[in-house]
Amino acid sequence: MAWSDVMPKGKKQEIEKKIIRFEEILRSNKESYAQSQGLMGGTIGIALYFLYYAKLMDKQEPYDIGLETLESVFESINNGFNYHTHAGGLAGIGSVIELLREDDLIELDSNDTLGALDKHLYKMMMHEIKNKNYDFLHGAVGIGYYFIRRKSNKSYKIYLTDLIEELDKNSTKDEEGIRWLSVLDKEKKTKGFNLSLSHGLASIIVFLSKVYKEGIAKEKTLILLQGAVKYLINQKLDTSKHKSNFPSWVCEGEPSMYSRMAWCYGDLGIGIALWLAAENTTNEEWKNKAVEILLHTTKRKTAKETGVVDAGLCHGTAGIAHIYNRMYNFTNRNEFKESAVYWFNKTLELNIYNDTLSGYKAHRSEKYGGSYEDFGFLEGIAGIGLAFISAISNIEPVWDETLFLS
């Protein structure tokens, strides 16, 4: 699609300085992320930044660094790295490689690179789904997304049909709709129905809609998708009493609490999941519901209303800004453009830490060590930088499909 930038001229220079500084930091601190290969916090996510930065600046050196970073990931795989998830393993690495190839940012035969991994990932996907681990970032749905991208594997439709069969078997169905029970809190062993884009129902909805668009197991996939959307919409809160349209999860015996403003949990992820489901099935009713939900979020701006404390893609200002940027480019509605500009400006304002190289910190509670400088894609400067690139250029952020935002 044609992509339009959102930031006014006066802010573009300030953002470009941040983008250049992030590239310098990532180039000079490879040892800080070289030990982790995965997408969300490791090397492959950093490679994304170098390659899109090179495209923005039309420079060869950062492109070469991006390719070198990819080669280090391939070397790690050749040396036996076989962890499987979307967030930290082979599924996320493979999905990025396919996206970069399709976006003409790299040239390679992905079958040579990924073909030997497919049977292993299929085995792990089925292991996760049979253990009722549906998680997008850490379970079966994330690996399923990898196989949506692996169209050059002749078995990809069979693999995805098998996953749809297991999703059907393991679903809860009643008059409220269709959903999947999962563990909400590992320490407390609490179970319920997670609604989020990162770990729950919203991500399953996006996944099912993508499978449907591929024409795979269409009848069963559509039944699951329609039931999942029905259940999700049935969980909508009374916004005269709650700040958000939806809770983060539904758990028997617990009241429905409002959710934060973020990619990972809450209305933004749910709204864009409904939009993508609508696009992939040409359902105007779902599309209108998605816009209604997302327009309501534009009214939430204070820290108390949003729960936002840092800048990363996962639960910070850059993630919020990027979702609005996406929705502006999907709909051409000025409300989303204005909100994108607002949250990108908030992202600039959070550049306040003198004890970090970048001026940013990712939030972490004191229990887990406190806030820290993060270089990665999901919570760190690589992700913030990618969102910034999309804010000031006409480069479509194809990378955001790895977050189920396109």
Side-chain angles (χ1 to χ4, degrees):
M1 65 181 289
W3 185 262
S4 300
D5 63 89
V6 293
M7 294 304 290
K9 289 183 180 179
K11 288 291 183 178
K12 285 186 177 181
Q13 189 173 10
E14 183 179 355
I15 286 176
E16 186 171 306
K17 287 179 181 178
K18 293 285 185 294
I19 291 168
I20 293 169
R21 178 59 181 149
F22 291 170
E23 193 272 343
E24 293 169 349
I25 292 167
L26 293 172
R27 179 160 33 90
S28 303
N29 290 273
K30 294 179 183 179
E31 70 284 351
S32 299
Y33 52 82
Q35 300 307 309
S36 175
Q37 306 308 317
L39 169 60
M40 297 303 170
T43 308
I44 197 79
I46 305 295
L48 274 174
Y49 184 74
F50 282 121
L51 294 172
Y52 276 90
Y53 176 86
K55 187 173 184 176
L56 174 73
M57 297 297 185
D58 193 23
K59 290 184 176 180
Q60 187 65 37
E61 184 183 4
Y63 181 77
D64 292 340
I65 294 171
L67 291 185
E68 289 170 13
T69 308
L70 285 178
E71 286 171 6
S72 73
V73 176
F74 299 154
E75 183 178 346
S76 179
I77 293 170
N78 290 335
N79 289 334
F81 178 74
N82 67 353
Y83 188 58
H84 56 280
T85 69
H86 179 66
L90 297 174
I93 291 168
S95 297
V96 167
I97 290 168
E98 291 286 20
L99 283 170
L100 290 172
R101 183 184 61 79
E102 291 171 21
D103 202 24
D104 295 324
L105 283 169
I106 58 173
E107 293 182 14
L108 52 74
D109 184 335
S110 57
N111 282 326
D112 288 345
T113 309
L114 303 174
L117 307 177
D118 289 347
K119 288 185 178 178
H120 169 65
L121 284 171
Y122 170 72
K123 179 181 176 182
M124 296 311 301
M125 180 179 76
M126 299 310 290
H127 170 79
E128 296 290 6
I129 194 64
K130 288 178 179 179
N131 282 284
K132 299 179 172 56
N133 180 7
Y134 318 103
D135 200 295
F136 173 42
L137 293 185
H138 307 298
V141 168
I143 306 175
Y145 167 63
Y146 164 81
F147 284 115
I148 291 174
R149 300 246 54 88
R150 286 286 294 133
K151 295 180 181 65
S152 57
N153 181 324
K154 294 179 181 179
S155 297
Y156 89 101
K157 290 186 178 182
I158 297 171
Y159 294 165
L160 288 167
T161 299
D162 289 347
L163 180 54
I164 294 297
E165 288 292 332
E166 290 298 323
L167 279 169
D168 184 40
K169 288 178 189 176
N170 291 314
S171 62
T172 299
K173 301 183 179 97
D174 58 26
E175 66 280 356
E176 271 201 284
I178 298 175
R179 67 274 197 195
W180 289 265
L181 187 70
S182 60
V183 176
L184 301 175
D185 189 316
K186 290 183 179 179
E187 291 182 9
K188 298 177 182 178
K189 297 182 179 179
T190 306
K191 291 186 176 181
F193 301 106
N194 191 319
L195 304 184
S196 73
L197 186 55
S198 54
H199 307 294
L201 190 62
S203 64
I204 297 175
I205 284 170
V206 177
F207 172 72
L208 289 171
S209 75
K210 288 178 178 290
V211 173
Y212 177 83
K213 189 177 181 181
E214 289 295 318
I216 299 168
K218 287 192 76 169
E219 184 176 348
K220 185 167 287 185
T221 300
L222 185 60
I223 290 170
L224 292 174
L225 177 58
Q226 289 172 332
V229 171
K230 179 182 178 182
Y231 179 79
L232 183 63
I233 291 173
N234 278 335
Q235 307 318 305
K236 192 174 183 302
L237 301 171
D238 181 350
T239 52
S240 68
K241 299 177 182 178
H242 298 268
K243 296 182 181 74
S244 60
N245 282 276
F246 294 91
S248 294
W249 54 72
V250 178
C251 184
E252 189 175 343
E254 290 188 9
S256 292
M257 303 295 289
Y258 87 96
S259 55
R260 69 198 305 174
M261 283 267 286
W263 166 78
C264 53
Y265 281 90
D267 293 354
L268 289 173
I270 287 170
I272 202 163
L274 285 175
W275 175 271
L276 293 172
E279 285 274 279
N280 289 333
T281 60
T282 63
N283 187 311
E284 290 300 314
E285 182 182 350
W286 293 354
K287 187 175 286 190
N288 292 336
K289 179 61 69 173
V291 170
E292 176 191 322
I293 290 164
L294 290 164
L295 285 176
H296 182 269
T297 67
T298 63
K299 302 171 186 175
R300 297 170 65 185
K301 288 187 168 68
T302 68
K304 186 176 181 181
E305 291 172 326
T306 62
V308 179
V309 296
D310 63 2
L313 290 178
C314 182
H315 45 256
T317 55
I320 295 171
H322 185 72
I323 290 172
Y324 285 130
N325 195 4
R326 251 297 165 196
M327 288 306 300
Y328 169 64
N329 275 277
F330 281 147
T331 66
N332 204 35
R333 293 191 67 131
N334 281 329
E335 298 98 324
F336 294 135
K337 181 177 182 178
E338 291 166 3
S339 292
V341 171
Y342 175 86
W343 286 103
F344 277 123
N345 284 331
K346 287 293 180 185
T347 306
L348 290 170
E349 290 172 14
L350 284 173
N351 188 240
I352 57 175
Y353 296 98
N354 295 321
D355 58 341
T356 67
L357 295 169
S358 65
Y360 288 100
K361 285 187 179 182
H363 175 72
R364 186 167 58 188
S365 68
E366 293 301 324
K367 178 182 176 181
Y368 296 103
S371 297
Y372 66 105
E373 182 161 37
D374 190 309
F375 296 138
F377 173 73
L378 188 62
E379 298 188 50
I381 62 171
I384 297 169
L386 284 164
F388 275 158
I389 289 170
S390 303
I392 65 167
S393 74
N394 63 357
I395 299 171
E396 184 183 359
V398 174
W399 54 265
D400 71 4
E401 190 178 345
T402 65
L403 298 172
F404 274 3
L405 295 178
S406 61

